[in-house]
Amino acid sequence: MFIISYPNMLLGGYGDRIHGLIAIKILSKVFNHDFYILWDKENIIDLFDYEKYNAKNITNIKEIGSNGWNLIDGGKLRLVDHVKNNIQNEDKPDKDKTYKYIFPNEHYVFHLNSNICRKIGNIVGVNITDEEIINEYQKMYTDIFKPKEFFLKKVDNIIKGRTNIVGIQIRCGDKYMVTNTRETHSTGTYHNIDKYLTAIKKQCDETMDSSYNIFITSDSDEAYKTGIKIWNKDRVIYNDDIIQHLDRKPVDEDISKVFVDSYILSMCTCKLYITYGSNYGMVSALSCIHDNIYGINYAHLSKNKILKNT
């Protein structure tokens, strides 16, 4: 049994975690283990139906850490090192024996925040294709996390029946969120929001029906403030819940904005602009129902290219 676990500790934001989740889901198939999710840091049970993968429905969670469980903790590198070391310690292993030797125990719990499944596949001699990985991201909101009624009502209240939506995700940096006020991280995008949005409007005006709408999400509300100056305010869709980071202490119990905004980008748009390099944006793009995806620098992005940066 492979369990991807997000306990009450720092393990990255939403995009980071989904990359790790998808990696373990794919590796569970490679190594012939059942796959489950243990998401404790935030209460997402009211947002999503993930009973099919919910570890709490399968086993006694108190047993984790006791005999029979193996915790692999450490994000990007330790899991790779674990695989390499175990292969190196085995004399001329055949494939079946190697698989059993790398993960000999019955249950494994992973704390992982990056998509390293292909690295491990290469180590054990398994070719995991782009198409296989993208296919798992495409199941995000139809198989892994199925939105519940509360979640869908929230989406409906934000969109208000509008269609022909262009999604825009702008990553400015941790320092712009109320949950991260002591941090200094910035992408340098903040001071160029007007330039980016003006050029996006020009591109959309030239290529789309004039009835299109804009959905904006960002870690700075300056993106929305600028957006309503560039477009008519009535055409700009925005979720005005508090901007929070999953990897920090919440300032409001309702953390649904993180999930709702990603869902809208993925499932409710006909065109999508993301900050290339932002895991939040890239997860939204990889799980997106269409391929009409661009960077905020207006260049087209294929899902295969986005995947290479995860």
Side-chain angles (χ1 to χ4, degrees):
M1 182 185 301
F2 280 3
I3 297 178
I4 182 71
S5 174
Y6 296 113
N8 192 14
M9 60 186 291
L10 301 185
L11 278 170
Y14 184 57
D16 303 333
R17 298 190 206 179
I18 297 303
H19 285 328
L21 185 152
I22 295 296
I24 297 305
K25 191 171 189 293
I26 291 171
L27 290 175
S28 70
K29 295 180 179 179
V30 171
F31 292 98
N32 196 27
H33 279 258
D34 292 332
F35 168 75
Y36 294 103
I37 300 166
L38 183 59
W39 195 304
D40 281 339
K41 188 172 186 296
E42 294 82 24
N43 177 22
I44 64 170
I45 198 69
D46 293 334
L47 305 178
F48 299 114
D49 170 8
Y50 61 105
E51 296 300 290
K52 179 179 177 181
Y53 300 109
N54 191 347
K56 292 185 178 180
N57 293 337
I58 305 300
T59 187
N60 183 352
I61 297 306
K62 293 180 180 178
E63 293 178 359
I64 292 181
S66 63
N67 292 336
W69 290 91
N70 191 344
L71 174 65
I72 297 181
D73 193 359
K76 296 181 180 180
L77 299 177
R78 189 167 173 186
L79 181 52
V80 174
D81 292 341
H82 167 89
V83 174
K84 283 182 177 178
N85 291 339
N86 282 0
I87 287 181
Q88 288 169 357
N89 291 335
E90 177 71 3
D91 294 329
K92 298 179 181 179
D94 58 47
K95 189 165 74 170
D96 291 340
K97 191 174 181 182
T98 297
Y99 284 6
K100 293 176 182 177
Y101 190 77
I102 292 172
F103 296 110
N105 292 353
E106 184 179 357
H107 306 305
Y108 285 85
V109 180
F110 299 87
H111 295 164
L112 184 66
N113 59 12
S114 63
N115 189 2
I116 60 174
C117 59
R118 188 145 43 197
K119 289 182 181 178
I120 292 179
N122 290 340
I123 292 170
V124 299
V126 175
N127 179 34
I128 300 173
T129 66
D130 283 3
E131 288 66 30
E132 288 177 89
I133 301 173
I134 292 170
N135 182 56
E136 292 299 336
Y137 280 98
Q138 294 279 281
K139 297 176 183 177
M140 265 293 301
Y141 298 112
T142 58
D143 175 63
I144 302 172
F145 293 125
K146 298 178 183 178
K148 287 187 173 180
E149 184 178 359
F150 164 79
F151 187 97
L152 292 175
K153 281 184 177 179
K154 197 166 182 65
V155 171
D156 288 343
N157 287 337
I158 294 167
I159 293 178
K160 294 182 171 62
R162 283 174 283 187
T163 58
N164 204 19
I165 298 171
V166 176
I168 302 174
Q169 179 261 342
I170 298 180
R171 175 79 160 117
C172 293
D174 293 344
K175 64 183 285 185
Y176 298 102
M177 288 181 280
V178 294
T179 50
N180 300 54
T181 52
R182 296 183 180 180
E183 299 186 32
T184 59
H185 171 256
S186 173
T187 63
T189 303
Y190 180 85
H191 300 291
N192 294 300
I193 290 175
D194 183 87
K195 181 186 88 170
Y196 288 127
L197 293 184
T198 299
I200 288 172
K201 182 179 187 300
K202 182 175 184 296
Q203 191 176 69
C204 290
D205 287 348
E206 291 173 350
T207 59
M208 298 186 67
D209 183 278
S210 60
S211 65
Y212 75 86
N213 296 284
I214 293 292
F215 172 72
I216 293 178
T217 185
S218 176
D219 43 18
S220 168
D221 60 6
E222 192 62 30
Y224 170 69
K225 293 176 182 177
T226 304
I228 60 176
K229 294 176 184 176
I230 293 174
W231 285 275
N232 184 307
K233 184 177 180 179
D234 292 339
R235 293 176 63 185
V236 179
I237 303 167
Y238 185 68
N239 178 1
D240 60 5
D241 288 351
I242 296 174
I243 300 169
Q244 303 192 74
H245 195 298
L246 291 189
D247 212 23
R248 297 294 180 267
K249 184 177 180 181
V251 294
D252 188 284
E253 289 185 3
D254 183 2
I255 45 84
S256 64
K257 177 177 172 64
V258 175
F259 305 92
V260 166
D261 286 11
S262 180
Y263 178 87
I264 293 175
L265 292 175
S266 294
M267 306 299 287
C268 305
T269 62
C270 62
K271 191 173 188 177
L272 180 61
Y273 291 86
I274 64 167
T275 302
Y276 185 60
S278 161
N279 282 329
Y280 187 86
M282 291 194 295
V283 161
S284 298
L286 289 169
S287 59
C288 191
I289 58 175
H290 59 78
D291 296 316
N292 201 13
I293 303 166
Y294 297 79
I296 57 169
N297 65 346
Y298 344 116
H300 184 262
L301 295 173
S302 70
K303 288 176 181 173
N304 298 78
K305 180 177 180 179
I306 293 168
L307 187 61
K308 285 178 172 57
N309 203 27
T310 63

